Amino acid sequence: VGRWARVWAAGYDAVSVRFERVQGPHRRRLVGEAAGEVLEVGAGTGLNFPRYERARRVVACEPDEAMRARARRRARRARVPVALVAGDAGRLPFADASFDTVVFSLVLCSVPRPEEALAEARRVLRPGGEARFYEHVRSERPGLARWQDLLARPWRTVNRGCTPNRETVGAVERAGFRVVELERFELPGVPPIVRPHVLGVGRRA
Ligand SMILES: C[S@@+](CC[C@H](N)C(=O)[O-])C[C@H]1O[C@@H](n2cnc3c(N)ncnc32)[C@H](O)[C@@H]1O
């Protein structure tokens, strides 16, 4: 693992632990109810792992080795079995219809092509399965959305691909999911361009 990747993973962890108080409850709502065979895409350092309650098993795919190394430690503290694998959201190394639930947690902002990641999620889900997502998104307020558009490129450059102006809910619907639960809210304490968040569930149509 490169030194820069290790530094990034450590930094991501440190910042996330600082935001635990505001993010923790959303993470719990995201995965606490995730049931059956669960795939978490781009699991990062595994911050969601200790909050799974109903999953029979979680398979967590994460392409970055330094992130995976940290996630491995958290996997041991989970209440449900967690298996870590390397893997790209755009080409999931799993058979069709092999999961009951797919979880995206602050990851559809970072993958190069969210529509591809969502198509893959749909493919690996059983009919009637759920995509659960917790993401920061493009604002519904035109003023802020304009700032998100203007700053998207520099923000992405310094934040490893994180794109602040994606219309993720629309992308979920276009990928063949019926959105059955959706909440929009602002996350306090973060820069305004990444404040608008969504927490939702899409059912595989
Ligand atoms: C902002 S972090 C979120 C990590 C974690 N899901 C969380 O909730 O803290 C974005 C994650 O997406 C991962 N990622 C980036 N591109 C990816 C891809 N093509 N496929 C899967 N994961 C990817 C990154 O390695 C990183 O771990």
Side-chain angles (χ1 to χ4, degrees):
V1 186
R3 183 210 279 264
W4 170 238
R6 274 210 304 270
V7 169
W8 181 272
Y12 184 76
D13 238 8
V15 170
S16 301
V17 168
R18 239 193 88 213
F19 279 103
E20 183 64 21
R21 207 159 42 85
V22 282
Q23 283 195 322
H26 304 307
R27 290 185 180 281
R28 191 169 331 114
R29 285 189 300 154
L30 175 72
V31 305
E33 307 255 300
E37 292 283 315
V38 178
L39 170 66
E40 184 172 334
V41 178
T45 59
L47 291 154
N48 292 322
F49 295 170
R51 296 176 239 259
Y52 282 96
E53 286 171 21
R54 296 183 52 210
R56 192 180 319 125
R57 186 171 84 108
V58 177
V59 176
C61 93
E62 168 55 53
D64 186 290
E65 204 182 321
M67 292 287 215
R68 263 201 327 275
R70 287 177 172 265
R72 219 166 278 128
R73 281 179 241 155
R74 285 213 175 83
R76 286 186 218 123
R77 279 188 260 145
R79 276 170 276 189
V80 304
V82 178
L84 270 155
V85 297
D88 186 319
R91 240 185 26 202
L92 293 173
F94 308 107
D96 296 2
S98 47
F99 291 96
D100 301 294
T101 307
V102 175
V103 169
F104 291 103
S105 171
L106 305 173
V107 73
L108 289 168
C109 60
S110 293
V111 298
R113 281 171 297 278
E115 59 287 348
E116 222 172 78
L118 287 160
E120 277 291 87
R122 189 175 189 285
R123 179 183 67 75
V124 302
L125 271 174
R126 301 196 175 105
E130 277 184 1
R132 304 181 68 88
F133 51 95
Y134 165 51
E135 298 285 343
H136 64 82
V137 295
R138 189 169 207 271
S139 176
E140 294 197 297
R141 299 196 340 250
L144 179 54
R146 218 176 121 248
W147 278 109
Q148 291 176 310
D149 294 343
L150 282 169
L151 296 172
R153 196 184 286 246
W155 180 268
R156 189 163 57 211
T157 308
V158 294
N159 288 290
R160 269 195 148 187
C162 170
T163 308
N165 60 342
R166 286 187 172 161
E167 288 174 324
T168 300
V169 179
V172 169
E173 288 169 337
R174 282 191 297 278
F177 291 94
R178 190 162 52 85
V179 174
V180 291
E181 279 174 44
L182 183 67
E183 203 183 305
R184 290 183 183 268
F185 56 93
E186 309 246 308
L187 199 78
V190 295
I193 64 166
V194 288
R195 232 173 251 171
H197 278 63
V198 293
L199 180 63
V201 179
R203 185 142 293 141
R204 185 192 190 285

